[in-house]
Amino acid sequence: MQTVSNNNKKIQRVVIAGGGSAGWMTAASLSKLLGKSLDVTLIESEAIGRIGVGEATIPPLRTFNELLGINEQHFMKTVRGTFKLGIEFKNWGRLNDSYIHSFGDTGRICWAGEFQHFWLAGLKKGIADEFGAYCPEHAAAKAGKFLGSRDSKLDYAYHIDAGLYADYLKQLALGKGVKRLEGKIEDVGIDPQSGYITTLSLDNGAVVEGDLFIDCTGFAARLIEGALNTGFESYGHLIPCDTAVAVQTEKAGEPRPYTQAIAHEWGWQWRIPLQHRVGNGLVFCSRYTSEEEAIAALMNNLESPAITEPKVFRYKTGRRLKGWNKNCIAIGLASGFVEPVESTAIHLVMASILRLMKLFPHHEICQANIDEYNNQTREEMERIRDFIILHYKATERDDSPFWRYCKNMEVPSTLAHRMELFKNTARVCITQSELFRLDSWTQVMMGQGIMPENYHQIVDQMSEAELAKFLGGIKGQVDARVASMPSHQEFINHYCRAL
């Protein structure tokens, strides 16, 4: 078959390699938002299993679903979801301690300083409650309560069945005209002059031509790396865990409105409650333990009986040197992976899709467009990377070789500066485009033992009585809001009991 160069021509045929959450999120988005001008084909094979453990999300997914016109109630019933107000971390900063990294804003700010400055002054004077007591999401999570109407103004995310989510998006995309082809990719055709991908040949003999190819083939990165040899920057020396084992269990009582992340001596364990079951897993570093030991640790720390066999998968933390190379864009695990501790996997899929939408090459593929996409992707990955590293670096644990390595490892200068700035001044300086905002950094740093030595002196312009009234007023409002909420289970029963 004769092939032609794909550069300098109108982009009409988009081919998505791979299904799962990444593939069907991409297909649903293209068909919904750009579908009238595109011919979208998705290739997947039933013989290739999905990883299917990305069950915890973060709040921006709600906006993404709204863009796709998804009704939340119907969606949550279908994916058997529950609601997430944050993540509870146990044993991270010290053994037997815990804190919650919650969504939402804590307290109120003024022109001179954020709420943590007022709270630190109150703590010094003995008139402040715990930091999270001034955040509705944090207080509701601890109380096991939830109210998801717009009037509640809670910032929340979802716990979802990743397989059901992919199937939900699949039906949405097929309804918008996406064509699905069954088959495994056996060969990738490359134009010898431009280096662009021209065709994908399948094991059933089909040959699929395209103008733009989206690689959603997971860690295999069949197109972006296998065909185009793009290159990979490893984060393994900064985020040492490289293996996970996952298992599903029976429902264990009423679902918590938050994810749990429980640190072990060589990694950490997750618990994600759904309406019908619980997703469990253990992330670990293979340099410090074996698969057999990790599986035993996970199975011995389940809250309810297992309903599946443990499934092990290895991964590499890092990013593709180019998320967009030639006429191929990697989305999802093919693009890179940080690690699951802050539930960023599905978010990074969403962010890549939205970035592609904004920079979509309708008329031709130009290098400036590719460079902008890659620069934005790199900056986002590095900022998320630093936040994830913080969880390992900010620890007082020295009870195992794994935690001693994490405690003493060198970290990027960008993170080292941010940690030192907070320790010295209680300030967190972030850019407007960062995913994790002020409250996220503040909660994790203080939750894991980085307590500021000073605070903004503008706070001392308030008398102790004024400060007590200020703090008490915020806490009183939070307490009143939470007291009026139903339990998490009651809200689910009323709003989105599973179909």
Side-chain angles (χ1 to χ4, degrees):
M1 175 179 295
Q2 183 179 5
T3 60
V4 296
S5 172
N6 292 74
N7 57 339
N8 298 319
K9 62 181 290 188
K10 188 173 182 180
I11 304 300
Q12 293 180 309
R13 301 169 299 175
V14 177
V15 180
I16 302 170
S21 297
W24 288 111
M25 285 175 74
T26 305
S29 301
L30 290 174
S31 59
K32 170 70 176 180
L33 304 175
L34 299 176
K36 292 183 179 180
S37 60
L38 298 176
D39 177 8
V40 181
T41 300
L42 183 144
I43 301 168
E44 68 174 348
S45 172
E46 295 291 348
I48 299 176
R50 300 170 180 171
I51 290 180
V53 296
E55 297 174 321
T57 66
I58 54 180
L61 184 65
R62 292 165 53 204
T63 302
F64 181 78
N65 281 0
E66 288 176 1
L67 285 174
L68 296 182
I70 292 174
N71 176 275
E72 184 182 76
Q73 279 185 276
H74 181 262
F75 165 73
M76 290 296 280
K77 290 177 181 178
T78 305
V79 300
R80 302 176 182 177
T82 63
F83 296 92
K84 176 183 174 182
L85 292 169
I87 306 171
E88 179 188 37
F89 288 92
K90 291 185 175 183
N91 302 327
W92 284 78
R94 294 160 294 277
L95 281 172
N96 303 315
D97 71 351
S98 69
Y99 71 94
I100 293 179
H101 166 208
S102 59
F103 304 135
D105 297 324
T106 304
R108 292 197 296 269
I109 64 173
C110 79
W111 66 269
E114 300 88 354
F115 178 73
Q116 70 266 22
H117 297 278
F118 296 89
W119 179 80
L120 287 164
L123 189 67
K124 182 179 179 180
K125 299 175 189 295
I127 57 175
D129 207 318
E130 66 168 333
F131 189 70
Y134 304 92
C135 173
E137 289 80 4
H138 186 282
K142 289 192 69 175
K145 292 192 170 187
F146 184 79
L147 184 62
S149 69
R150 291 189 178 276
D151 293 337
S152 76
K153 297 181 180 179
L154 285 180
D155 198 10
Y156 62 89
Y158 308 123
H159 297 132
I160 59 176
D161 185 307
L164 293 178
Y165 183 44
D167 291 339
Y168 188 96
L169 295 170
K170 177 179 179 178
Q171 296 308 314
L172 184 66
L174 294 176
K176 291 291 182 180
V178 172
K179 296 187 290 290
R180 177 192 178 276
L181 293 181
E182 167 69 28
K184 289 184 180 180
I185 298 169
E186 286 198 335
D187 186 61
V188 181
I190 303 290
D191 182 90
Q193 293 180 326
S194 68
Y196 277 42
I197 296 174
T198 56
T199 59
L200 300 181
S201 299
L202 309 186
D203 58 352
N204 56 18
V207 178
V208 184
E209 297 181 317
D211 305 315
L212 189 71
F213 292 82
I214 313 295
D215 189 344
C216 296
T217 61
F219 290 124
R222 184 71 175 80
L223 309 187
I224 196 78
E225 194 63 52
L228 297 182
N229 301 309
T230 299
F232 186 80
E233 178 186 355
S234 173
Y235 296 161
H237 60 298
L238 300 168
I239 306 173
C241 292
D242 57 11
T243 314
V245 54
V247 68
Q248 298 173 7
T249 63
E250 295 177 1
K251 182 178 178 180
E254 293 190 359
R256 303 176 181 93
Y258 52 87
T259 305
Q260 287 183 294
I262 305 160
H264 289 266
E265 61 180 306
W266 20 250
W268 62 275
Q269 175 182 346
W270 76 76
R271 290 179 184 149
I272 302 173
L274 304 179
Q275 290 191 46
H276 60 305
R277 62 171 176 82
V278 178
N280 304 266
L282 197 148
V283 174
F284 63 95
C285 180
S286 61
R287 297 197 304 272
Y288 296 102
T289 192
S290 65
E291 289 184 8
E292 293 75 18
E293 187 177 10
I295 291 172
L298 174 62
M299 301 304 286
N300 289 332
N301 285 278
L302 299 176
E303 293 185 310
S304 55
I307 56 176
T308 63
E309 292 297 319
K311 178 181 179 182
V312 177
F313 57 94
R314 294 184 174 273
Y315 59 83
K316 291 182 179 180
T317 56
R319 67 174 187 91
R320 211 62 56 188
L321 294 180
K322 298 176 184 178
W324 185 341
N325 189 5
K326 304 290 185 179
N327 65 333
C328 177
I329 298 159
I331 290 181
L333 300 177
S335 176
F337 184 63
V338 187
E339 79 131 80
V341 71
E342 283 285 351
S343 310
T344 53
I346 288 179
H347 171 81
L348 285 169
V349 172
M350 178 196 77
S352 296
I353 292 169
L354 295 178
R355 187 176 299 119
L356 173 59
M357 295 293 183
K358 294 176 182 178
L359 298 172
F360 196 89
H362 292 282
H363 300 294
E364 64 180 21
I365 296 174
C366 67
Q367 191 60 45
N369 213 33
I370 294 175
D371 292 343
E372 181 61 26
Y373 180 97
N374 287 332
N375 287 337
Q376 290 184 23
T377 300
R378 175 186 54 79
E379 289 175 1
E380 179 177 50
M381 284 289 287
E382 289 178 351
R383 288 166 182 158
I384 292 175
R385 175 205 65 189
D386 282 5
F387 187 61
I388 300 304
I389 297 170
L390 172 66
H391 295 66
Y392 291 98
K393 176 66 175 178
T395 184
E396 297 176 10
R397 291 189 61 168
D398 58 4
D399 55 287
S400 70
F402 173 79
W403 286 107
R404 287 194 291 273
Y405 172 85
C406 294
K407 181 180 180 179
N408 296 315
M409 68 181 175
E410 291 190 17
V411 298
S413 59
T414 46
L415 174 59
H417 167 72
R418 190 165 290 190
M419 293 171 68
E420 191 67 17
L421 180 67
F422 187 76
K423 181 180 179 182
N424 292 338
T425 70
R427 293 188 178 94
V428 181
C429 295
I430 57 177
T431 63
Q432 188 60 37
S433 60
E434 288 190 47
L435 171 62
F436 293 104
R437 311 300 297 166
L438 166 71
D439 287 87
S440 293
W441 283 91
T442 301
Q443 289 178 82
V444 174
M445 283 197 279
M446 292 197 301
Q448 296 195 196
I450 302 178
M451 290 301 295
E453 298 167 351
N454 300 287
Y455 56 83
H456 200 297
Q457 293 304 296
I458 192 69
V459 179
D460 289 336
Q461 300 299 311
M462 302 173 72
S463 68
E464 184 171 320
E466 289 172 329
L467 181 59
K469 183 179 179 181
F470 173 70
L471 294 173
I474 296 172
K475 184 175 184 300
Q477 292 174 357
V478 169
D479 289 345
R481 285 182 61 184
V482 173
S484 67
M485 296 178 186
S487 73
H488 184 217
Q489 185 66 67
E490 288 170 343
F491 182 82
I492 291 171
N493 292 343
H494 171 74
Y495 183 71
C496 59
R497 183 183 286 274
L499 297 172

